[in-house]
Amino acid sequence: MAIWWIGNIVLLVVIAPVVVFLLNGVLQASRKVSAVVDDLATVGTKMASDLEPVPELLKTESYVTQTTAGLARYGAALDEIL
Amino acid sequence: MPAAAVVTIILAVVVVLVLAFFLLATARVLARVNTQLAAVIDAVGTIATRTEPVDSVVRSINSNLATARDVLSSLLVSKVGSDGAADLIASVDPLAQGPSVDREAQIQYEREYEEEPYYEPEPEPVQAQAPEPPPAAEDAVIHYERAGWTEPAAEPPWEQAQEDEPAAAPAGHGTADVGQDADPEGYDEQPRLLYRRASEDPGPAPAAEPDAPEPEPVRRSPGGGGGKIRLRHPED
């Protein structure tokens, strides 16, 4: 019976605080991960919004192609003029 | 049932409750992390989708611009020759006529003619002093740029202007009006004089003679400056 009581005391004084300490560590780490992931999500969303004008590069490509063709025509005409 | 057993059961229940509390909290946090990571993965997927054509588009633009450059360069070379094309390209090169050179020359000029104290003629022996060597090609280019022309000519510009060769200089670079007093305020007088001095230097100086006249002392900036930009007052 005495040993049982000693086991109860050990359970109350040692085991329970250790379990609480370890679980608290896991919880704090999870919260830190959550904060970092929040920042990551914010940055990812901003990056995605920053890249919205990227499809405009297709227009730029079209304009450059047209400009190049115009320059070639201009050069040909200048060649004949000069 | 003994009292010890009751206490054990109670303690076990308490530990299980504490475990459940922390595990639930952790699970909730991890579920939130999972949701955020899903959003991040979506954003990264969107970024990858949007940036997918960038490579081909940029390569296409570069190719088109290179084609245009090649066409115009070949046209220019066919009309004015490779040397003339190089001169023309150099004349419109912003690095060749950037404002920093002119600004430095202007600051140097203002220092030399507004503040005299730092000018002290150097006592140099007359016999050992050779006439000042002509400016290096770099100096001549700087004088030339200050004079309003952007490309060096093999002959003085006032002679070049008389030859009426429009292809020798690009339009708008002032070669055609060389020798004309277009500026009534005399703004261009000094740069022209500077250019004339730079171009009329008689080549490498001969060896010093014992009875050679004392050369004109050279104004030098306090910081040295390497003598690249040498400005002389017209009345000196």
Side-chain angles (χ1 to χ4, degrees), chain A residues 1 4-5 8 11-12 19-20 23 27 30 34 37-38 41 44 47-48 51-52 54 57-58 61 64-65 68 75 79, chain B residues 2 4-5 7-8 11 18-19 22 25-26 29 32-33 36 40 43 47 50-51 54 57 60-61 64 68 75 79:
Chain A
M1 185 62 70
W4 200 339
W5 279 110
N8 288 335
L11 178 65
L12 182 63
V19 168
V20 169
L23 287 176
L27 186 61
S30 301
S34 177
V37 169
D38 284 344
M47 279 180 66
L51 290 173
E52 281 181 0
V54 166
L57 274 174
L58 295 173
E61 182 187 18
V64 167
T65 304
T68 304
D79 191 17
Chain B
V7 170
T8 301
L11 286 177
V18 170
L19 272 171
F22 278 102
T26 304
V29 169
R32 189 162 170 272
V33 167
Q36 296 292 338
V40 169
I47 291 169
R50 286 179 178 173
T51 56
V54 169
V57 168
S60 173
I61 290 172
N64 285 325
L75 174 64
K79 293 302 176 190

Side-chain angles (χ1 to χ4, degrees), chain B residues 171-218:
Chain B
H173 285 278
T175 305
D177 61 348
V178 171
Q180 301 173 3
D181 292 331
D183 188 358
E185 299 176 1
Y187 177 79
D188 286 336
E189 283 300 314
Q190 182 173 342
R192 289 179 186 179
L193 182 60
L194 289 175
Y195 175 74
R196 190 169 291 120
R197 286 186 180 182
S199 62
E200 287 180 355
D201 273 331
E209 298 178 358
D211 56 348
E214 184 175 1
E216 185 180 0
V218 177

Side-chain angles (χ1 to χ4, degrees), chain B residues 9-229:
Chain B
I9 292 171
I10 292 172
L11 286 177
V13 170
V14 168
V15 168
V16 167
L17 288 177
V18 170
L19 272 171
F21 170 75
F22 278 102
L23 288 177
L24 282 175
T26 304
R28 198 167 54 207
V29 169
L30 291 179
R32 189 162 170 272
V33 167
N34 191 18
T35 305
Q36 296 292 338
L37 280 177
V40 169
I41 289 171
D42 288 342
V44 171
T46 305
I47 291 169
T49 304
R50 286 179 178 173
T51 56
E52 188 176 1
V54 169
D55 182 38
S56 62
V57 168
V58 169
R59 287 178 190 279
S60 173
I61 290 172
N62 286 340
S63 174
N64 285 325
L65 291 178
T67 303
R69 180 201 59 194
D70 293 341
V71 167
L72 294 180
S73 298
S74 61
L75 174 64
L76 193 61
V77 168
S78 67
K79 293 302 176 190
V80 297
S82 58
D83 293 337
D87 290 341
L88 283 175
I89 290 171
S91 68
V92 296
D93 187 3
L95 295 178
Q97 38 181 265
S100 59
V101 175
D102 288 336
R103 183 59 185 155
E104 286 179 5
Q106 181 67 27
I107 291 172
Q108 186 76 12
Y109 179 81
E110 290 173 356
R111 281 185 181 175
E112 287 199 24
Y113 296 111
E114 289 180 359
E115 300 177 4
E116 290 291 334
Y118 59 82
Y119 167 63
E120 293 180 0
E122 301 174 357
E124 297 175 352
V126 175
Q127 294 181 352
Q129 177 67 38
E132 183 184 352
E138 191 176 13
D139 296 346
V141 169
I142 292 172
H143 283 260
Y144 190 76
E145 289 177 355
R146 283 190 53 79
W149 298 287
T150 54
E151 55 180 346
E155 52 188 357
W158 52 87
E159 296 178 7
Q160 195 178 33
Q162 296 174 357
E163 295 178 3
D164 292 330
E165 292 181 0
H173 285 278
T175 305
D177 61 348
V178 171
Q180 301 173 3
D181 292 331
D183 188 358
E185 299 176 1
Y187 177 79
D188 286 336
E189 283 300 314
Q190 182 173 342
R192 289 179 186 179
L193 182 60
L194 289 175
Y195 175 74
R196 190 169 291 120
R197 286 186 180 182
S199 62
E200 287 180 355
D201 273 331
E209 298 178 358
D211 56 348
E214 184 175 1
E216 185 180 0
V218 177
R219 292 176 180 268
R220 298 188 186 282
S221 61
K228 287 185 175 181
I229 301 175

Side-chain angles (χ1 to χ4, degrees), chain A residues 6-70:
Chain A
I6 291 172
N8 288 335
I9 292 172
V10 168
L11 178 65
L12 182 63
V13 174
V14 178
I15 303 295
V18 167
V19 168
V20 169
F21 174 75
L22 293 177
L23 287 176
N24 192 29
V26 172
L27 186 61
Q28 295 302 322
S30 301
R31 286 177 176 166
K32 288 181 180 177
V33 169
S34 177
V36 172
V37 169
D38 284 344
D39 295 342
L40 188 60
T42 304
V43 172
T45 306
K46 287 184 178 178
M47 279 180 66
S49 62
D50 287 343
L51 290 173
E52 281 181 0
V54 166
E56 294 294 316
L57 274 174
L58 295 173
K59 284 184 181 177
T60 305
E61 182 187 18
S62 173
Y63 293 154
V64 167
T65 304
Q66 296 172 17
T67 305
T68 304

